Amino acid sequence: MNIFFTVHGLPSCAMEDEECRDRLMHPDLPEDPRYHARAVDGEKSSAYWLNQGKKFVETKTTTPLNKKKAKNVIMFLGDGMGLTTTAAARNLLGGEHSELSFEKFPHVGLAKTYAVDKIVSDSANTATAYLCGVKTLYGTLGVNGMVERGNCRAMLDKANHVSSIAQWAIDAGKSAGVVTTTRITHASPAGAYAHISERDWEDDTEVVKACGRDSGIDDIALQLIHGETGGKFKVMMGGGRRHFVDSSLQKKGKRSDGRNLIDEFKSQSPRNAYVETKEELANLNLQEVDRVLGLFHDSHFDFHLDTDVESSTQPTLEEMTRRTIELLSQDDNGYFVFIEGGRIDSAHHDNTPRKALDETVEFSKAIQLAREMTSEDDTLIVVTADHSHAFSFNGYPYRGSDIFAASPTKPNDKIPMMVLSYSNGPGYEKFYDAINGVRHDPTTLMKGQPNDVYPATFPRDSETHGGEDVAVYASGPWSHLFTGVYEQNAIPHMMAYALCVGKGLKACD
């Protein structure tokens, strides 16, 4: 049986015709003069690129290694922000030649994201790796690989608990905290303070369903307010208000133990401040408070593209970052803080790349502000992702063209394909007629709106994560440690080395 390959406008190639198939791999697409002017001035000359390369080498060779002790560490986590996401997001900044703020950092490495039991991981086991320094099982938080997901008994054994760099910083007399655009009880921020065998046990109701009322298990929200680590955080900002209040006390409350953990936090000290809006956060006198709890949404934050900046009551990640640094900078001993742009991940799961890339740009703004507010002499900033997504950016688009549009490359069925697509997810059913075995023209279904769902190859209600390595960007003291390819769980050990906390090697030894 002969197998033939075709590309629209080119002859078919037999499987054994290697030379013909090679031409199909690299089609000579028709020129489109509309996009020639979008190239940066001088790019067509040899001198432009030669000079650029020389300047890069000069920058690298003249940048001294910073071996000072870090007073502070800020870890930024772009949930689901794989390399495809960052490359595509540059187009929102003015073009593919543009840079996100953290791409200007002097040192970059790659982290392997697999779990103990899965090649493609989730946000819980990865949080345990990059915050606690220990790889663990999919779906578990702050516990080692001896604890199976959802096991009600094994997690009660404190010998299986692992502490985070936030706790290491607290033990060294520093301040610590977590900030996120997701629920603050969600997997990524919870990795800084929780020990639990199921990431979904965000409130007591979920624990009771799985393990009974008298299991002895503290849910994630309870651990944030009263736990060994969370109970000492100076700043806690995000969404997820529903997990802190009983359903009888608040309409959207999820708890069933009659408790209001927000009131319990406020009653701990008159210098504990609670805020629910960006105005309250902006007007907070940080000189008069020791700790801040900000819960700005019942669940996750609304996507940035879905909000009216003028009327929205939720702060941006940039605004939360500013207030966080202002508060923590009052501690002469320094601090560690975890700041997450968490809705990049949510948008990818929905096959909505316009939102995912916009969230990436918002994430970049917060990092730019943090670098401007702090000094590279004493503050290490580390930027990374927990995992990637099954997100594709392909089809030979022209320079300067709209990446949200169709590719100039035509598939064999002569129906347009988009530059952006997913391996799986809800976009399958919208763009593929399974009964007749044909694709719908995606260009007729796109409306240029934030909620546009993009094509997927396999049907799933929610798109899956990707398993490739993620980038780690670093700036500040000992940032050169973060180069190379390493296991994800090495990240907190390198941060602890620079910060001189924890039980491992320290820069100040």
Side-chain angles (χ1 to χ4, degrees):
M1 178 179 177
N2 291 328
I3 299 177
F4 293 88
F5 295 85
T6 63
V7 169
H8 182 51
L10 295 176
S12 299
C13 292
M15 182 65 178
E16 62 273 13
D17 191 343
E18 186 173 342
E19 183 176 345
C20 180
R21 288 191 294 113
D22 190 65
R23 290 196 299 273
L24 295 186
M25 296 177 197
H26 315 100
D28 185 10
L29 297 171
E31 293 294 327
D32 191 332
R34 291 177 298 170
Y35 299 115
H36 281 213
R38 298 294 292 274
V40 175
D41 288 343
E43 278 190 346
K44 292 187 176 181
S45 71
S46 300
Y48 176 91
W49 298 107
L50 292 172
N51 289 334
Q52 185 194 65
K54 291 173 184 177
K55 287 179 181 178
F56 181 81
V57 173
E58 181 181 7
T59 299
K60 286 296 183 183
T61 56
T62 57
T63 301
L65 300 182
N66 185 344
K67 295 186 178 181
K68 298 177 182 178
K69 174 186 175 182
K71 178 182 178 182
N72 317 303
V73 170
I74 305 174
M75 183 179 187
F76 280 94
L77 192 284
D79 198 316
M81 189 186 70
L83 289 171
T84 307
T85 299
T86 54
R90 294 174 195 143
N91 287 266
L92 301 187
L93 299 177
E96 46 287 321
H97 54 279
S98 302
E99 292 178 303
L100 296 158
S101 63
F102 50 89
E103 293 181 310
K104 301 173 185 176
F105 283 8
H107 302 289
V108 183
L110 290 172
K112 304 176 187 177
T113 63
Y114 65 89
V116 169
D117 58 338
K118 290 185 183 291
I119 299 173
V120 179
S121 58
D122 83 312
S123 295
N125 73 261
T126 51
T128 307
Y130 63 69
L131 286 169
C132 304
V134 174
K135 287 209 175 194
T136 188
L137 302 179
Y138 181 92
T140 65
L141 274 167
V143 293
N144 61 28
M146 301 299 292
V147 180
E148 297 285 341
R149 182 175 187 178
N151 188 302
C152 300
R153 298 188 63 181
M155 64 155 289
L156 293 174
D157 185 353
K158 291 189 176 181
N160 293 328
H161 293 189
V162 291
S163 60
S164 75
I165 185 173
Q167 181 63 54
W168 307 345
I170 291 169
D171 291 342
K174 295 179 179 290
S175 296
V178 292
V179 177
T180 180
T181 54
T182 67
R183 296 190 296 272
I184 200 166
T185 50
H186 211 232
S188 300
Y193 62 86
H195 311 283
I196 206 151
S197 63
E198 172 53 67
R199 58 174 289 174
D200 294 334
W201 294 347
E202 297 180 56
D203 57 61
D204 71 296
T205 301
E206 296 303 319
V207 174
V208 171
K209 287 179 183 177
C211 305
R213 175 61 68 184
D214 300 319
S215 65
I217 297 172
D218 290 341
D219 59 83
I220 295 174
L222 187 65
Q223 290 189 52
L224 177 61
I225 301 302
H226 295 292
E228 178 184 5
T229 304
K232 297 188 178 87
F233 280 167
K234 291 290 184 68
V235 59
M236 299 157 279
M237 295 187 198
R241 188 167 48 235
R242 67 190 190 187
H243 297 294
F244 293 81
V245 184
D246 189 274
S247 59
S248 66
L249 303 175
Q250 190 177 101
K251 183 178 180 181
K252 294 184 179 180
K254 291 283 188 179
R255 302 192 68 81
S256 55
D257 55 4
R259 300 176 72 168
N260 184 327
L261 298 182
I262 297 171
D263 285 347
E264 291 178 23
F265 168 79
K266 290 190 288 186
S267 67
Q268 289 172 354
S269 168
R271 292 181 63 85
N272 280 6
Y274 173 68
V275 291
E276 285 192 348
T277 68
K278 69 176 181 180
E279 289 79 15
E280 291 175 350
L281 178 62
N283 294 330
L284 193 62
N285 187 341
L286 299 180
Q287 302 299 321
E288 297 179 353
V289 301
D290 293 330
R291 304 176 66 207
V292 176
L293 172 64
L295 298 176
F296 305 101
H297 203 288
D298 287 315
S299 185
H300 298 318
F301 276 32
D302 294 329
F303 287 106
H304 175 254
L305 283 179
D306 288 340
T307 61
D308 181 335
V309 177
E310 298 300 322
S311 62
S312 176
T313 61
Q314 73 179 27
T316 64
L317 187 62
E318 185 178 11
E319 290 168 338
M320 290 193 293
T321 297
R322 179 182 296 280
R323 297 302 269 163
T324 294
I325 293 175
E326 289 173 346
L327 175 64
L328 296 180
S329 295
Q330 296 177 171
D331 190 335
D332 292 335
N333 292 324
Y335 58 84
F336 168 84
V337 65
F338 173 80
I339 303 177
E340 181 194 26
R343 304 237 62 194
I344 302 169
D345 177 74
S346 308
H348 277 319
H349 280 302
D350 293 339
N351 288 170
T352 52
R354 288 183 185 273
K355 289 182 176 180
L357 302 188
D358 177 75
E359 292 292 324
T360 303
V361 172
E362 288 298 300
F363 180 63
S364 176
K365 291 177 183 178
I367 296 164
Q368 178 69 33
L369 175 68
R371 190 67 289 174
E372 292 172 354
M373 290 184 67
T374 58
S375 170
E376 289 188 58
D377 284 342
D378 68 359
T379 302
L380 169 65
I381 297 181
V382 177
V383 181
T384 188
D386 45 358
H387 52 72
S388 183
H389 272 272
F391 176 52
S392 182
F393 177 20
N394 57 55
Y396 307 112
Y398 295 109
R399 282 290 300 274
S401 61
D402 182 5
I403 61 165
F404 296 111
S407 165
T409 304
K410 301 295 184 183
N412 293 354
D413 60 8
K414 300 183 181 180
I415 298 172
M417 75 177 195
M418 306 305 288
V419 172
L420 304 179
S421 63
Y422 292 85
S423 172
N424 59 76
Y428 173 89
E429 294 180 357
K430 181 175 182 178
F431 296 97
Y432 187 70
D433 181 349
I435 296 176
N436 297 307
V438 295
R439 292 191 306 122
H440 298 305
D441 182 347
T443 62
T444 65
L445 300 173
M446 297 292 179
K447 301 183 183 299
Q449 298 298 315
N451 286 326
D452 277 348
V453 173
Y454 273 64
T457 304
F458 300 104
R460 276 187 56 85
D461 292 336
S462 179
E463 174 262 2
T464 70
H465 296 162
E468 67 268 30
D469 300 349
V470 295
V472 185
Y473 311 83
S475 169
W478 295 96
S479 55
H480 54 283
L481 293 180
F482 293 85
T483 56
V485 180
Y486 38 83
E487 299 290 354
Q488 193 172 38
N489 65 291
I491 293 174
H493 297 289
M494 291 187 280
M495 293 190 294
Y497 181 88
L499 197 59
C500 289
V501 301
K503 297 179 180 180
L505 294 175
K506 301 180 182 67
C508 51
D509 286 343

